[in-house]
Amino acid sequence: MKIGKRTPLWEIAFAYCLDLGVGDPEVIPHPVVIMGKAIEKLERYLRKNTGSHKAKEERAGKILAGTLAAGTFMTSKLGLFLLKKKAPKTGRALEIWLLSQCLATKGLTDAALAVYEKLAQNDLEGARTKVSFIVGRDTAFLSEEGVTKAAVETVAENFSDGVAAPLFYMMLGGAPLALTYKAINTMDSMVGYKNEKYLHFGRGAAKLDDAANYLPSRLSALCWIAGAALTGQDWKNAFKIWKRDRRNHASPNSAQTESTCAGALNLELAGPAYYFGEYYDKPTIGDPGRKIEAEDIPRAVSCMRASALAALFAFGTGKLILYKIFDKRK
């Protein structure tokens, strides 16, 4: 087996740098936007004959999950194969671009620091508006502490599904597998709610997302601990809180990186919050070692970026080791 037959490491590294430098230009349609439109159309079509029948809703939701995941993989795989065959350089350039669009290091950094800038200007209303773009909770009445906590938690949680998990899947299967993961993640963010509308229809998407994130989220936590060490944060406490609080969330994956972030910064995160006007009594993560402050946002961002480098190095090393093992067996 030759490495050239699969996505080379240099392409993934190039895509990583491209994301850091360029991010997601608004002038170019983002794959996630296309996925979102596909999800909306599929949902409308599949709901036509479900009525309020719970079993039919759940079945339709499972069809949505399977169709989108399989369709994304096959379409991107076949499309890139045909393009590379006809125009190898163009095909390779497109794959690198698609890989970069699966990553959100710059987007997450910019969004979090935009909240920090508003707080630094004592513009609480502006900070609430900025944080509302990146969190699902109600933000209209958040205090400065609440806004800061929301931003820090978002950086930690989205490191897994916005950076580390895409890196993990692109190491395994290049752009097609990374895009498939993003499709699953996007679908969960759109229909995976436990409310009246999506409790049954969104169950398939939510379970598929849980499965897709199970291993990457745990690897992400270890990468965050490494990032804490690289940035001079309390990596030992990050490991301690991770072991203790990594299950303090309704999702089996979300508290993995939140707990390491809380430990690294010696903070207490999570806890009760309002979503769509409804109160949720969520458990806390971490210890109340000190009061959270606006400066914790750039601290979390710094750790996230270092953790991304740790993930790139660790997953890349794993990829090379696997290639050597398969080469020897062949």
Side-chain angles (χ1 to χ4, degrees):
M1 179 185 292
K2 294 182 180 179
I3 291 179
K5 290 184 178 181
R6 296 183 182 272
T7 305
L9 273 176
W10 75 264
E11 285 190 12
I12 296 174
F14 194 113
Y16 174 82
C17 294
L18 195 60
D19 171 59
L20 283 179
V22 179
D24 306 325
E26 295 182 3
V27 294
I28 302 176
H30 196 284
V32 168
V33 175
I34 299 171
M35 292 169 187
K37 291 180 178 178
I39 292 166
E40 289 176 350
K41 289 182 179 180
L42 280 170
E43 181 183 353
R44 283 197 299 269
Y45 176 77
L46 292 168
R47 278 188 181 274
K48 285 183 179 179
N49 299 314
T50 60
S52 58
H53 196 282
K54 296 178 181 178
K56 286 183 177 180
E57 281 191 3
E58 188 167 341
R59 191 182 307 118
K62 288 179 179 178
I63 293 172
L64 169 66
T67 300
L68 187 73
T72 300
F73 182 79
M74 290 188 292
T75 301
S76 55
K77 185 78 173 177
L78 181 60
L80 284 171
F81 172 77
L82 293 175
L83 184 58
K84 285 181 177 180
K85 194 171 183 180
K86 187 174 182 179
K89 291 183 179 180
T90 303
R92 177 161 289 180
L94 177 61
E95 181 166 27
I96 292 173
W97 176 253
L98 290 173
L99 287 169
S100 74
Q101 294 299 281
C102 290
L103 298 169
T105 313
K106 186 178 189 301
L108 190 55
T109 297
D110 292 346
L113 292 181
V115 178
Y116 170 71
E117 287 175 7
K118 291 296 182 182
L119 291 174
Q121 295 166 5
N122 295 315
D123 183 2
L124 180 57
E125 193 59 39
R128 287 170 177 162
T129 300
K130 291 293 184 181
V131 83
S132 70
F133 298 151
I134 57 174
V135 299
R137 73 191 68 180
D138 297 343
T139 62
F141 301 104
L142 287 179
S143 63
E144 181 176 336
E145 180 179 339
V147 169
T148 305
K149 183 185 287 188
V152 169
E153 290 170 4
T154 297
V155 170
E157 185 176 345
N158 283 281
F159 164 68
S160 179
D161 55 23
V163 183
L167 277 172
F168 175 79
Y169 283 110
M170 64 181 65
M171 292 291 182
L172 291 178
L177 198 57
L179 286 167
T180 303
Y181 168 77
K182 293 301 292 185
I184 292 170
N185 194 243
T186 302
M187 181 168 50
D188 178 62
S189 69
M190 292 179 67
V191 306
Y193 295 102
K194 291 183 178 180
N195 56 22
E196 185 177 352
K197 183 178 180 180
Y198 290 115
L199 180 61
H200 303 288
F201 185 84
R203 188 168 293 168
K207 288 185 176 180
L208 183 59
D209 184 71
D210 285 344
N213 279 297
Y214 189 84
L215 180 57
S217 66
R218 284 147 182 80
L219 294 174
S220 298
L222 297 177
C223 290
W224 194 283
I225 293 168
L230 290 170
T231 53
Q233 296 180 20
D234 194 344
W235 68 270
K236 291 182 179 179
N237 194 50
F239 182 68
K240 171 189 170 184
I241 299 300
W242 173 62
K243 288 196 300 180
R244 191 192 72 190
D245 292 349
R246 66 186 185 274
R247 297 185 181 90
N248 285 10
H249 200 285
S251 164
N253 305 315
S254 294
Q256 298 291 328
T257 45
E258 273 194 60
S259 57
T260 54
C261 180
L265 295 175
N266 289 291
L267 294 172
E268 182 180 78
L269 298 176
Y274 283 89
Y275 294 83
F276 306 105
E278 189 173 347
Y279 177 82
Y280 287 83
D281 188 16
K282 298 164 61 178
T284 58
I285 296 172
D287 295 324
R290 62 179 178 82
K291 186 177 180 180
I292 194 168
E293 58 186 13
E295 292 297 328
D296 286 314
I297 296 176
R299 288 176 189 136
V301 167
S302 176
C303 192
M304 182 270 293
R305 290 168 68 92
S307 302
L309 280 173
L312 181 65
F313 176 80
F315 299 163
T317 301
K319 180 183 176 78
L320 288 176
I321 291 173
L322 285 175
Y323 275 11
K324 287 184 178 180
I325 291 173
F326 284 118
D327 283 342
K328 286 181 179 180
R329 287 183 178 179
K330 188 176 180 181

